[in-house]
Amino acid sequence: MSSLPVLLQLFDGCYLPGRKDSLVPKSYSDTKKLILVTGTQCTNPSWLLQSFVRASLIAERTPSSLDISRNVVFVSFEQDYHFHLECFKKSRLNISEQLSDSFVFIDGVQSIFSESQTTEKTELAESQQAQWITQIKSHLQRLSANGMPPATLVIEGIDNLLYLGIMRSERDVLMFVSRLREDAGTTIVSLNVLSQKSLENSGDLEHIHNRSIEGFYRMAHAVYSLRPLPTGRAHDITGLLRLVRGGQPLDISFDTGEYQYFVGDGNLSSASVFVKGHG
């Protein structure tokens, strides 16, 4: 494998299997940056979000120790707690035992369906957003107290809230994230992009979805995009990882580029990223 640029690093001390290059510079975790992660139905970004989470939590990785570094609030509107728990366990990080005071997982999907049994849809949309903002801000403030740096915030699958009727406009989506960023360090937001074919045959929701993506591009400092190969999936290549600058200035070294990646069983423990033609 050819060597990767420093950009292709996780935070310091947390490496992709078989490499000593990190996928995200550690300096991300020390600032209030917004990182946008996009995927498709064929290239789910959960493993990349897990990389950010693991890297935020671990200061230094050695054969004999895992040192906790930075607290994380992980909000998912796509995968449940047990999915991520099992994925983290495979990469030797037990979020249920080791990180009870450093890591908070909020299962957004479960809370939507729990409340929807007893609440009218309009009420649910308004009350649920307010409830999440209060809950998430409370956790961010608690995990950033007593001299700790601002906690990292990860939001997975925020676009799903449009299709569930919880949010009705791109303004709802963008303002929701903006309010939470007030109490966070680095914020990582993921959502799926729509194909051109989908947009050509789309309704109002798809156009709101697309405008939300455009809004996040303008707000973001860096964008990590996962796409399938133009020819489909190969047996040893899942897709392409493209790194570009967002609409906000980035005060750290950031080399843009496109790389291939492979995720064997859909989670971080089997992930590898490599230069095209050198997998």
Side-chain angles (χ1 to χ4, degrees):
M1 255 188 207
S2 298
S3 99
L4 297 178
V6 70
L7 171 64
L8 283 182
Q9 293 185 17
L10 300 173
F11 298 117
D12 288 353
C14 186
Y15 307 115
L16 290 174
R19 298 207 54 83
K20 289 190 176 179
D21 304 282
S22 6
L23 193 56
V24 180
K26 181 171 173 48
S27 50
Y28 274 172
S29 65
D30 300 322
T31 57
K32 294 180 77 68
K33 297 288 188 290
L34 174 64
I35 301 172
L36 175 63
V37 177
T38 66
T40 69
Q41 288 184 337
C42 301
T43 54
N44 189 297
S46 289
W47 68 272
L48 188 52
L49 299 181
Q50 292 162 10
S51 297
F52 280 99
V53 171
R54 181 180 172 83
S56 291
L57 290 167
I58 297 175
E60 181 180 1
R61 181 177 177 179
T62 68
S64 59
S65 68
L66 294 175
D67 298 325
I68 303 305
S69 173
R70 191 170 297 270
N71 299 335
V72 175
V73 176
F74 191 162
V75 186
S76 181
F77 301 110
E78 189 160 323
Q79 305 285 1
D80 65 17
Y81 172 74
H82 295 289
F83 170 85
H84 286 292
L85 174 64
E86 292 307 311
C87 290
F88 281 121
K89 279 183 177 179
K90 290 178 181 178
S91 61
R92 298 192 300 116
L93 185 67
N94 191 335
I95 58 176
S96 67
E97 296 176 4
Q98 294 171 293
L99 306 175
S100 57
D101 297 324
S102 307
F103 178 85
V104 172
F105 184 88
I106 297 174
D107 190 332
V109 174
Q110 184 179 39
S111 62
I112 290 170
F113 288 108
S114 296
E115 284 210 25
S116 64
Q117 303 300 317
T118 57
T119 310
E120 291 296 325
K121 194 169 184 179
T122 303
E123 268 181 73
L124 175 63
E126 296 172 354
S127 68
Q128 189 65 78
Q129 286 187 56
Q131 181 181 322
W132 279 328
I133 287 172
T134 299
Q135 180 186 18
I136 296 166
K137 277 179 166 286
S138 175
H139 286 304
L140 287 168
Q141 291 164 5
R142 178 178 62 82
L143 294 181
S144 303
N146 302 319
M148 288 295 293
T152 298
L153 172 63
V154 180
I155 306 174
E156 179 179 33
I158 193 168
D159 49 308
N160 290 322
L161 297 182
L162 289 170
Y163 298 95
L164 290 168
I166 302 298
M167 294 183 180
R168 298 185 181 126
S169 69
E170 65 271 23
R171 185 180 185 278
D172 285 349
V173 178
L174 300 174
M175 285 300 297
F176 180 79
V177 172
S178 294
R179 290 191 63 186
L180 295 176
R181 287 184 67 200
E182 296 168 357
D183 294 286
T186 292
T187 300
I188 301 112
V189 176
S190 84
L191 69 171
N192 281 335
V193 297
L194 300 171
S195 67
Q196 188 58 42
K197 186 175 181 180
S198 297
L199 286 172
E200 289 171 357
N201 301 288
S202 61
D204 290 344
L205 276 178
E206 286 79 12
H207 285 290
I208 293 171
H209 182 165
N210 198 51
R211 290 196 298 269
S212 299
I213 296 170
E214 293 170 354
F216 279 125
Y217 264 89
R218 291 191 292 270
M219 290 168 57
H221 296 82
V223 182
Y224 288 60
S225 299
L226 300 178
R227 298 290 184 275
L229 295 171
T231 55
R233 178 170 176 165
H235 74 279
D236 57 351
I237 302 174
T238 303
L240 301 173
L241 169 60
R242 187 177 181 222
L243 307 166
V244 300
R245 289 176 177 268
Q248 300 302 310
L250 193 59
D251 54 3
I252 61 173
S253 176
F254 187 90
D255 296 324
T256 60
E258 190 168 78
Y259 304 87
Q260 295 174 337
Y261 75 95
F262 177 70
V263 185
D265 58 2
N267 65 70
L268 175 59
S269 65
S270 65
S272 57
V273 178
F274 40 88
V275 176
K276 286 184 177 181
H278 294 271

